[in-house]
Amino acid sequence: EICEGMKRIEWKAFECCYSLRNIALPQTTQVFPCFALCYDLLKLFGSKEKIGDALRKRFNGLAIHQLCYFQSFHPTQMVLAQLKNLIG
């Protein structure tokens, strides 16, 4: 996970991360061609231009998925309460 305060990611940040498949980017983070050599992400999204946008929007409309993805950062009781509220 990239922290919420990260403003931009430069082009060599993920150099040689050929098998990178799982990352969450904050909505406001600017990404330069830093995923150009991430072959698994390129295969998944089709082009290096689409990767940053897709990773910034990966949780749009998926509140439960987002909660589960970041659950390790929060106390269990808080996560369970939030999950209960999301379910309904």
Side-chain angles (χ1 to χ4, degrees):
E1 298 82 39
I2 305 297
C3 69
E4 284 294 327
M6 182 66 63
K7 294 181 180 170
R8 60 191 273 163
I9 301 172
E10 296 293 336
W11 68 278
K12 284 196 168 197
F14 297 104
E15 186 174 45
C16 299
C17 292
Y18 307 116
S19 299
L20 180 64
R21 293 179 180 208
N22 192 15
I23 188 169
L25 294 177
Q27 292 279 342
T28 57
T29 301
Q30 295 176 359
V31 292
F32 294 89
C34 62
F35 298 109
L37 296 176
C38 299
Y39 300 128
D40 283 357
L41 289 176
L42 284 167
K43 196 181 327 178
L44 181 63
F45 295 111
S47 74
K48 61 185 177 186
E49 293 79 21
K50 293 180 183 178
I51 293 172
D53 191 47
L55 294 176
R56 280 191 297 271
K57 294 178 180 179
R58 75 177 281 184
F59 295 121
N60 287 5
L62 301 170
I64 292 174
H65 181 74
Q66 183 175 9
L67 177 65
C68 292
Y69 188 86
F70 291 107
Q71 57 83 27
S72 64
F73 297 105
H74 306 286
T76 302
Q77 292 304 320
M78 187 177 97
V79 172
L80 292 173
Q82 288 178 345
L83 183 59
K84 185 177 178 180
N85 285 339
L86 288 170
I87 291 172

